[in-house]
Amino acid sequence: MKFKARIYATIVALSVLVPNCPAQSQVRFEPVSTAGTSTAPRGIELPFPRSFDLSGGNAMIYTPQIVSWAEQKHAVAWAAVSYKSATAQQPVMGVIKLEAETRVATEQRLVDLAPVRITEINFSTLPREETQKLSIELQNAFQRGNRTISLDRVLAAVDKSNIMPGKDSKGLKADPPKIYFSATPAILLGFDGEPIWSPIKDTDLKFAVNTNWDLFEHVPTKTFYLRYDASWLKTTDVKGKWAPATTLPTSFSKLPDDANWTAVKQNLPGKPLTRVPTMYVSVEPAEIILTNGQPAYTPVQRTSLLWVSNTESDLFRDGATGPFYYLVAGRWFSAASLTGPWAFATPTLPEDFKKIPVEHPRSRVLASVPGTDQAAEAVLLASVPQTARVNKNEVKAPEVIYQGEPDFQPIETTTLFRAVNTDKDVIRHESTYYLCYQGVWFVGTTATGPWSIAESVPDEIYKIPPSSPAYHVTFVKVVADENAGDEWVSLEYESGYSGTMVDWGVAVWGSGWYYPPYYWYGGYYPWYCWYPRTYGFAAWYNPYTGTYGRGAAVYGPYGGAGAFAAYNPRTGTYARGGAAYGPYGSRGFVQAWNPRTGTYAQTRQGSNIYGNWGSSYVQRGDDWARTAHVTNRATGTRTSGIRTSEGGGMVTRKTDDGRTTIGRTGSGDVYAGRDGNVYRKQDGQWQKWENGSWNNAPSAEPRNRDNPTRDQLDRDRSNRIEGDRRSRDSSTYNPSRSTRNNSGSYRGSGGFSGGGFRGGGGFRGGGGRRR
């Protein structure tokens, strides 16, 4: 497919682009009490109507009514306008039709309309010449700013049937992983292949580098010890029976004093354990369903479905005796019993799954039900690329270190070769080498460089199949640059690079393929390189970020889950704490992630892959949406806003001397009719602006097939109400508390409340990646 160079996706948190006109003209102030008020949530879009100062007067633009959003690149909208000339006593009302190219900040959930063209304008009471002048002035005013709209407002209005995936990742797999079930405390001890053990310097202990738990071997006694939160278990056979460890070898007190072992040392010698959890051990991709006692069923309103409400897993049953449906990594699996066998079920889900109410505590699953609006939106967001301009004279490639001589293996179905003994993505095409790192392509004439920014890459790279660990690089492209020949190169990546892919009509987590790790024993420490895994992280969709998160530090009510230890080929040491770096980075759910992000994984928390460079030499395409407020240099004020259900808004302004003013805008419940007239809803009745006043609008009543205006107004109003609600929910979403529980619903108050569940420990980080 052709990537969309004008579309942008971005980092975490909502933001606003504040109008450029003087603060005093932004709203009509009505003083209200500040008692009991609090700081507005971060990143609220400014409310409508918005004010534009023009040479001949002032215009107020009401909330645009989105008509279409072709390829998420070109928007068409109608908007009602109030215009008051400098000499007029009263404003006049009219309608404009807008067309604009769009830039999208998906995680900030903003759409920028630029450039804006006014293709139609209708002010019945203005002379033609004045109308034409107003059109030109409004169009110019839009170019100066005040043109940003909430992504949620756009999504609420877009016809979901027109949403097409930008890159359908055919070839993904949906073979079920091993799925365990327990109604009592249990642990899933997952290995990335057979256990790989690394010595710990100056001790007689080893630790397992390829598991999601703190697992040690005491070499003299050949006894294994596992940290279970603040307690310890032991066994002489990892796959055998485990028992409480009443004492630990003195070797544990000699663990190095560094961040890798902080959590372990904080839980020495450990608390007594009276109940041993069931231990499930797997060397292949696996998931676990844990219920707090026997499954508790809660009917799903207006369906035959039952929600299993006492588990953190997304688990449903079709009737009292029907099959179970389990959602993980964006894929549905079904089984007659919770003990299996399980089969892929996304294409054959019962129709009732489409009827799950958005108010349901787990309505996030709608994003994984083909044919729903939520699934269409998830596909759309997964297809929006994140962009950057990279200075080819300043950006330096990372050092590529191989374990021994470079070892290149063929990539099936292509003429390419992939380096397997390095932690970087290096691909050979004929006699040229390509390095993809942090969403940037580099090129070199040898496997070790020197590297320079690639201004193009071979088409053959985009034929790499999902069966290859290098598949994710196919989502990174060099974009044709309008200023070819200068010192900048434009690049973009879609979310497949960081794990979210599209197939079966939904967005899913991971390719579904298992990529065995590369490891080699040739020195004091084993060389271990692991690849992204689809299963083992309980990946789930977060409707507030439009991305996948996972159970990072805590996996289920009784256990921990995390990534694996990361080997640094330069220092020859391991950095544990991979659990802190889930699919969306160090904050768990909100950063772009790749297992090979190296140093940049920790340099700038909360930023996307391009932002992780932390350099002015990589200019992100979403920089226009990075701030949640702006200082008006002319007045020294800072403005933020919040929507109200009536379509108006609450605006807070703070001056440099510390004074705070709060005011409300006027009513924003005004609409542009496709017939060129302006309407509003008042006391349940549509009214029309005619001859300088509002009158009941018989032309908009009653509803019938010969009256498209009324139907369209009702649809626009419904879309606006839904957009307002979604914008409010998104703005109050707190990514720092984004767990599997509290972001389970498309409604802001959803979430799991089945008391008493807490994380049992496991490989929960023990510190950051230390490179």
Side-chain angles (χ1 to χ4, degrees):
M1 77 159 246
K2 291 185 178 179
F3 281 60
K4 307 171 184 66
R6 293 181 183 269
I7 299 181
Y8 295 73
T10 175
I11 61 174
V12 176
L14 294 172
S15 178
V16 299
L17 184 61
V18 174
N20 65 332
C21 42
Q24 287 82 354
S25 67
Q26 299 307 301
V27 294
R28 182 171 61 256
F29 270 84
E30 302 167 8
V32 296
S33 170
T34 60
T37 60
S38 60
T39 302
R42 59 176 177 79
I44 309 297
E45 70 165 352
L46 280 183
F48 289 94
R50 295 183 187 172
S51 176
F52 292 85
D53 279 343
L54 309 178
S55 64
N58 177 270
M60 300 287 287
I61 308 296
Y62 292 83
T63 308
Q65 298 148 233
I66 305 297
V67 176
S68 63
W69 195 20
E71 297 182 341
Q72 296 72 66
K73 179 179 180 180
H74 182 84
V76 177
W78 291 83
V81 179
S82 172
Y83 172 66
K84 182 178 181 298
S85 71
T87 58
Q89 296 297 316
Q90 296 293 332
V92 295
M93 303 290 289
V95 169
I96 59 174
K97 183 179 181 181
L98 311 173
E99 294 195 29
E101 306 308 307
T102 59
R103 297 184 296 172
V104 182
T106 54
E107 293 180 25
Q108 289 174 302
R109 307 192 75 77
L110 288 173
V111 179
D112 186 39
L113 308 173
V116 174
R117 300 185 306 280
I118 297 177
T119 57
E120 292 185 32
I121 185 168
N122 182 24
F123 278 79
S124 59
T125 59
L126 289 182
R128 181 176 179 180
E129 294 77 11
E130 190 171 352
T131 300
Q132 291 177 337
K133 180 182 177 181
L134 175 60
S135 176
I136 294 171
E137 286 210 47
L138 277 175
Q139 188 165 286
N140 291 337
F142 271 118
Q143 314 320 323
R144 297 193 298 268
N146 204 0
R147 59 179 183 254
T148 306
I149 188 171
S150 162
L151 173 60
D152 291 286
R153 198 177 309 286
V154 176
L155 291 175
V158 168
D159 182 355
K160 308 303 186 299
S161 64
N162 292 329
I163 295 176
M164 300 296 293
K167 184 177 178 67
D168 197 357
S169 307
K170 294 299 184 184
L172 303 188
K173 291 190 73 173
D175 298 340
K178 177 67 177 176
I179 299 174
Y180 297 95
F181 166 72
S182 180
T184 59
I187 288 174
L188 173 56
L189 178 57
F191 291 93
D192 187 20
E194 292 296 326
I196 300 173
W197 298 93
S198 173
I200 302 174
K201 193 174 183 180
D202 299 328
T203 74
D204 55 9
L205 296 172
K206 294 181 178 180
F207 81 98
V209 301
N210 65 329
T211 184
N212 55 338
W213 287 82
D214 287 327
L215 177 65
F216 301 85
E217 179 187 6
H218 184 233
V219 177
T221 61
K222 298 188 182 302
T223 302
F224 301 94
Y225 295 88
L226 182 142
R227 183 170 71 88
Y228 180 55
D229 198 3
S231 302
W232 290 84
L233 300 169
K234 69 176 183 179
T235 185
T236 56
D237 180 1
V238 170
K239 298 180 181 179
K241 187 175 181 179
W242 290 75
T246 55
T247 60
L248 296 176
T250 58
S251 309
F252 279 91
S253 64
K254 300 178 182 179
L255 288 172
D257 289 323
D258 61 48
N260 281 330
W261 310 106
T262 299
V264 175
K265 298 185 75 170
Q266 287 175 345
N267 292 285
L268 297 176
K271 297 180 180 180
L273 186 64
T274 58
R275 185 178 184 182
V276 178
T278 302
M279 183 73 73
Y280 297 103
V281 180
S282 179
V283 296
E284 60 184 290
E287 296 281 355
I288 186 170
I289 299 172
L290 295 168
T291 56
N292 189 12
Q294 291 304 310
Y297 299 105
T298 301
V300 178
Q301 188 178 9
R302 298 188 297 276
T303 76
S304 63
L305 301 176
L306 301 175
W307 171 44
V308 182
S309 57
N310 61 338
T311 176
E312 292 187 354
S313 300
D314 292 324
L315 184 64
F316 294 79
R317 192 172 192 179
D318 190 7
T321 60
F324 290 90
Y325 289 87
Y326 171 49
L327 174 65
V328 67
R331 298 161 174 85
W332 288 97
F333 301 100
S334 65
S337 165
L338 287 173
T339 58
W342 294 87
F344 180 53
T346 296
T348 57
L349 283 176
E351 284 294 308
D352 271 3
F353 276 90
K354 296 179 181 178
K355 303 175 185 177
I356 295 175
V358 293
E359 296 84 4
H360 191 274
R362 289 296 174 82
S363 64
R364 66 172 177 228
V365 304
L366 288 167
S368 300
V369 178
T372 63
D373 286 352
Q374 292 78 10
E377 287 184 11
V379 167
L380 181 154
L381 294 173
S383 305
V384 175
Q386 305 191 38
T387 69
R389 295 177 70 241
V390 179
N391 190 304
K392 57 189 177 186
N393 297 326
E394 300 292 347
V395 171
K396 306 301 180 185
E399 183 178 12
V400 180
I401 300 174
Y402 298 88
Q403 188 62 42
E405 292 298 315
D407 182 6
F408 284 82
Q409 300 293 328
I411 299 176
E412 61 179 315
T413 72
T414 75
T415 61
L416 305 171
F417 293 81
R418 179 181 69 88
V420 299
N421 61 337
T422 179
D423 64 340
K424 303 296 189 295
D425 288 310
V426 183
I427 296 170
R428 189 179 79 211
H429 176 252
E430 297 176 347
S431 59
T432 304
Y433 298 83
Y434 294 89
L435 164 65
C436 187
Y437 185 73
Q438 291 292 110
V440 177
W441 279 107
F442 298 87
V443 62
T445 56
T446 73
T448 56
W451 303 98
S452 59
I453 296 291
E455 298 186 47
S456 65
V457 293
D459 290 340
E460 189 74 4
I461 283 177
Y462 300 100
K463 298 177 183 178
I464 296 175
S467 57
S468 170
Y471 175 63
H472 62 287
V473 306
T474 66
F475 293 89
V476 181
K477 273 207 169 185
V478 179
V479 178
D481 199 326
E482 296 178 357
N483 299 311
D486 65 9
E487 62 189 36
W488 297 90
V489 173
S490 297
L491 297 116
E492 63 186 20
Y493 70 87
E494 287 186 349
S495 63
Y497 183 61
S498 53
T500 302
M501 303 176 187
V502 174
D503 209 343
W504 308 289
V506 296
V508 299
W509 169 251
S511 70
W513 289 82
Y514 174 62
Y515 310 121
Y518 181 91
Y519 62 95
W520 182 75
Y521 286 93
Y524 184 75
Y525 296 104
W527 200 97
Y528 165 65
C529 177
W530 65 283
Y531 299 103
R533 292 173 61 124
T534 299
Y535 304 109
F537 298 140
W540 53 275
Y541 188 77
N542 186 331
Y544 294 106
T545 61
T547 54
Y548 273 87
R550 69 172 175 92
V554 177
Y555 183 9
Y558 309 113
F564 310 103
Y567 183 77
N568 187 330
R570 166 169 285 282
T571 61
T573 60
Y574 280 95
R576 300 170 69 250
Y581 297 87
Y584 297 95
S586 60
R587 297 204 305 201
F589 308 99
V590 292
Q591 279 182 272
W593 170 82
N594 187 283
R596 303 175 181 187
T597 52
T599 305
Y600 296 114
Q602 62 180 357
T603 55
R604 292 182 61 180
Q605 292 189 357
S607 58
N608 67 14
I609 286 175
Y610 290 133
N612 284 331
W613 288 87
S615 167
S616 61
Y617 306 135
V618 177
Q619 297 181 355
R620 294 178 302 170
D622 61 351
D623 280 352
W624 57 271
R626 292 181 62 188
T627 179
H629 65 274
V630 69
T631 297
N632 186 310
R633 299 185 184 277
T635 63
T637 60
R638 291 173 294 280
T639 306
S640 60
I642 186 169
R643 295 284 302 171
T644 70
S645 59
E646 290 78 24
M650 177 79 74
V651 171
T652 302
R653 242 183 235 119
K654 189 170 185 178
T655 62
D656 286 341
D657 61 8
R659 291 179 299 156
T660 298
T661 309
I662 298 178
R664 291 191 178 93
T665 67
S667 171
D669 207 22
V670 178
Y671 298 82
R674 304 299 192 269
D675 58 1
N677 293 304
V678 179
Y679 296 88
R680 74 175 183 180
K681 196 68 174 284
Q682 187 77 10
D683 300 325
Q685 167 74 35
W686 282 108
Q687 294 183 336
K688 181 180 178 181
W689 178 265
E690 292 180 302
N691 301 318
S693 63
W694 293 104
N695 301 294
N696 287 341
S699 61
E701 304 284 351
R703 182 196 309 269
N704 60 64
R705 67 179 59 185
D706 297 322
N707 187 7
T709 298
R710 163 64 188 266
D711 290 344
Q712 186 61 58
L713 289 171
D714 284 342
R715 285 194 295 271
D716 285 344
R717 186 167 190 269
S718 176
N719 291 340
R720 182 176 295 181
I721 292 171
E722 176 66 8
D724 287 345
R725 184 200 62 76
R726 290 177 52 162
S727 296
R728 288 194 301 272
D729 286 351
S730 293
S731 69
T732 56
Y733 165 71
N734 187 342
S736 67
R737 294 198 299 268
S738 172
T739 67
R740 286 172 57 80
N741 295 337
N742 69 11
S743 55
S745 175
Y746 276 89
R747 296 298 192 207
S749 60
F752 176 74
S753 57
F757 280 19
R758 68 180 183 86
F763 192 171
R764 298 199 294 173
R769 293 178 187 257
R770 298 182 302 120
R771 295 294 186 182

